Amino acid sequence: MYEVGTQLPERTFRVTRADLVRYAGASGDFNPIHWSDRVAAEVGLPSVIAHGMLTMALAARAVTDWVGDPGAMVAYTAKFTRPVPVPDDEDGAELSVSAVVKKVDGDLALVDITVVAEGEKVLGAARATLRTN
């Protein structure tokens, strides 16, 4: 399972405006760029965008679902490189998450994660460290 080069199964997640409302309520992040097209346009965004931390959480979920134990993830980092526009329709935005085991050192494995929306990477330097035992 934890061998260098192991590709995790690609996961696809849909993010809708309803998901943004639920995430805002859970996180307390009610920034209007996540719900108001007018405000998003005023600050130069293409439309309402997903919360960056929601995007990170979905990527982490793809990895922890593969591992089968959320507690196995001992570290996780990422940089927000592009916003994820979320259309005001039933389909919302699609996030594609893929990952590969890059290094195994003792009881730890380093996994590089790629998250893509609309053909563009939306997280940079996304990496998780997993406990292997």
Side-chain angles (χ1 to χ4, degrees):
M1 179 166 166
Y2 294 104
E3 293 181 14
V4 173
T6 300
Q7 300 264 340
L8 282 65
E10 186 171 338
R11 289 283 306 270
T12 300
F13 297 94
R14 289 257 169 220
V15 178
T16 65
R17 297 271 177 109
D19 294 322
L20 300 183
V21 170
R22 284 189 286 275
Y23 186 82
S27 68
D29 181 353
F30 295 101
N31 186 322
I33 64 172
H34 302 302
W35 55 267
S36 170
D37 282 307
R38 179 184 53 79
V39 172
E42 286 174 359
V43 299
L45 294 168
S47 75
V48 164
I49 62 170
H51 301 76
M53 295 302 288
L54 174 58
T55 303
M56 276 186 72
L58 292 172
R61 179 175 166 198
V63 174
T64 59
D65 282 355
W66 174 73
V67 171
D69 176 12
M73 184 177 285
V74 296
Y76 178 40
T77 61
K79 296 178 181 179
F80 304 118
T81 57
R82 290 189 169 283
V84 177
V86 179
D88 189 10
D89 59 24
E90 292 81 30
D91 293 332
E94 182 178 279
L95 294 175
S96 174
V97 181
S98 59
V100 62
V101 176
K102 284 297 194 181
K103 181 180 179 182
V104 178
D105 186 11
D107 64 348
L108 297 176
L110 179 66
V111 176
D112 282 354
I113 306 165
T114 302
V115 182
V116 174
E118 296 183 340
E120 300 283 343
K121 284 179 65 172
V122 297
L123 294 180
R127 291 186 181 92
T129 302
L130 307 174
R131 190 177 55 251
T132 61
N133 57 13

